[in-house]
Amino acid sequence: MTTTVSPSTVATRAKRHLGLAIVALATGGFAIGTTEFAMMGLLKEIEGGLHISTPEAGNLISAYALGVVIGAPVFAAVGAKLPRKHLALGLMLFLSLANLSSFIAPDYGLMLFSRFASGLPHGAFFGVAAVIAAGLVAPTKRGWAISMVMAGLTVSNVIGVPVATWVGQTFGWRLLFIIVGAIGLLTVVLIWKFVPFEAAHPEASIRRELGALKRLQVWLALLIGIIGFGGFFAVYTYIAHTMTSVAGIPESLLPAVVALYGLGMVAGNIIGGRIADKSVMGTIYWVMPGIAAALVVYAISAHWAPAAFCMAFVVGGTGSMLTPALQTRLLDAAPGAASLASSLNHSALNVANALGAFLGGTVIAWGWGYTAPALVGAVLAMLGLAVAVISGLLERRRPLVS
């Protein structure tokens, strides 16, 4: 006897499988966010455990960021001929093994190397995950799909980082790497089971991927991220100093501030994905001034604790609204080399991290105070808007082609 399945049932199953595929990819983002940011809350424990100075411990974070910048284009280009599902599996397995190597690293030198290795798959994974997610939905829902993958990173700041930090402080800092390694292996299982297989493009090659670097619009999109996100990281880097020294908030409440910042990132990422589906460049045009305004208000209101609390959420939210639009813009700018272009976005964000921290530290060293990085960030956001306007004007003269 033949069983007939109704169209509504088929649609429901397809929707469920799409959701599980997105969850699988987002779980990888959760692992990456946890290993990247929880290190910052465990620096004192790491210093004591490895018998190193604070600057040396800070180098462990820099080594990870350097790995992201280098690994994103390298892995994306080298893996060009692989089916994207297999590339995502390989990258997540690499991340898990690299974190497990951090767990057993006996000295500072090997720990430094293992942290560099842990950063290598970061950008390439987000890049290929974004391409996979965008390919699972209609073109009008790409921003939403990308934002859902990126939600793993933002949610990690609310759940993964605080939990891993507490476990590391309570039971030993090396357990952070066991936690991340386990989540990474779980991600491998989820991707294998739920992400559909799609054969690699017949013309895929390293040369084809590197062709993205010949496109001016790709570089302009990356420049928007580097400059525009600089202010976001300038504030995040020195948020503890601002909240305690300017707003007068006790150190015991800093975890709540960071969690609120993370909640803002989650909300902003979801909203940014929705509005990017309506207009990618329109989102960039509107969000950039929003970031600048939020940073100015943050600098002014930081002297009053309740307002500082609220603005931590707003700054986190406005900054994260930009991510889905930039990721989608890169997919549009390099349709023949989507994986590399998308991966480079995370290299750009790590450069923005370094730029924001450097400029924020510079104005603090000049004696301008802990609210000055936010004002520098507002200027950077407007410079990012200027780059976006130039990109838009050039597109009118020469539209993006697939």
Side-chain angles (χ1 to χ4, degrees):
M1 183 175 66
T2 303
T3 302
T4 303
V5 180
S6 68
S8 61
T9 302
V10 173
T12 300
R13 289 177 180 174
K15 187 175 182 180
R16 182 170 65 249
H17 286 300
L18 168 63
L20 291 172
I22 295 292
V23 168
L25 297 170
T27 303
F30 185 88
I32 289 173
T34 302
T35 195
E36 180 179 17
F37 294 111
M39 283 286 291
M40 300 173 186
L42 292 172
L43 279 189
K44 289 185 178 180
E45 287 76 14
I46 293 171
E47 291 169 24
L50 295 176
H51 308 291
I52 57 177
S53 65
T54 299
E56 286 175 321
N59 288 339
L60 295 174
I61 294 174
S62 299
Y64 182 93
L66 181 62
V68 178
V69 174
I70 294 175
V74 171
F75 274 130
V78 172
K81 291 187 176 182
L82 292 175
R84 287 176 179 139
K85 176 176 179 176
H86 292 174
L87 179 57
L89 286 168
L91 291 169
M92 193 47 56
L93 184 60
F94 188 104
L95 178 86
S96 300
L97 295 177
N99 273 274
L100 293 175
S101 73
S102 294
F103 175 74
I104 62 175
D107 55 42
Y108 175 65
L110 289 175
M111 179 63 75
L112 196 66
F113 177 78
S114 72
R115 292 315 294 160
F116 170 78
S118 296
L120 289 173
H122 176 131
F125 177 80
F126 276 119
V128 71
V131 176
I132 291 173
L136 294 175
V137 298
T140 55
K141 292 186 177 181
R142 290 180 306 159
W144 170 83
I146 291 171
S147 72
M148 289 298 99
V149 171
M150 292 301 299
L153 179 65
T154 55
V155 170
S156 73
N157 283 275
V158 182
I159 301 174
V161 173
V163 170
T165 301
W166 176 80
V167 170
Q169 291 173 338
T170 306
F171 302 105
W173 58 272
R174 287 184 184 270
L175 288 177
L176 161 66
F177 308 117
I178 291 292
I179 293 172
V180 174
I183 298 172
L185 293 176
L186 172 63
T187 303
V188 170
V189 174
L190 293 176
I191 291 176
W192 180 264
K193 185 172 180 62
F194 297 119
V195 173
F197 175 83
E198 182 181 352
H201 193 284
E203 298 180 6
S205 66
I206 295 177
R207 184 174 182 178
R208 179 184 171 93
E209 289 291 328
L210 292 178
L213 301 179
K214 297 179 181 180
R215 295 174 178 256
L216 176 60
Q217 289 289 6
V218 169
W219 287 104
L220 289 175
L222 294 174
L223 192 58
I224 293 170
I226 291 172
I227 298 175
F229 261 103
F232 176 85
F233 288 112
V235 170
Y236 197 25
T237 302
Y238 302 102
I239 191 169
H241 297 80
T242 305
M243 291 295 170
T244 55
S245 300
V246 180
I249 293 173
E251 287 191 14
S252 60
L253 291 180
L254 284 179
V257 174
V258 174
L260 197 60
Y261 200 93
L263 286 171
M265 291 172 64
V266 173
N269 179 64
I270 294 172
I271 295 171
R274 292 293 187 183
I275 59 178
D277 283 332
K278 298 181 182 299
S279 172
V280 173
M281 290 305 294
T283 298
I284 296 173
Y285 293 151
W286 283 102
V287 169
M288 282 295 189
I291 292 174
L295 292 175
V296 171
V297 174
Y298 172 82
I300 295 172
S301 63
H303 298 273
W304 186 42
F309 259 110
C310 294
M311 289 310 299
F313 177 87
V314 173
V315 171
T318 53
S320 292
M321 286 174 67
L322 192 60
T323 306
L326 283 178
Q327 200 82 56
T328 306
R329 178 65 174 174
L330 283 165
L331 293 179
D332 291 338
S339 294
L340 176 61
S342 187
S343 298
L344 285 173
N345 189 38
H346 297 274
S347 293
L349 295 184
N350 274 268
V351 174
N353 192 345
L355 176 67
F358 171 75
L359 293 178
T362 299
V363 293
I364 290 173
W366 287 348
W368 291 7
Y370 288 120
T371 59
L375 298 177
V376 171
V379 174
L380 290 175
M382 295 311 294
L383 290 175
L385 174 62
V387 176
V389 170
I390 292 172
S391 176
L393 291 174
L394 290 175
E395 186 180 355
R396 288 185 181 181
R397 296 172 57 184
R398 188 176 181 181
L400 299 177
V401 293
S402 59

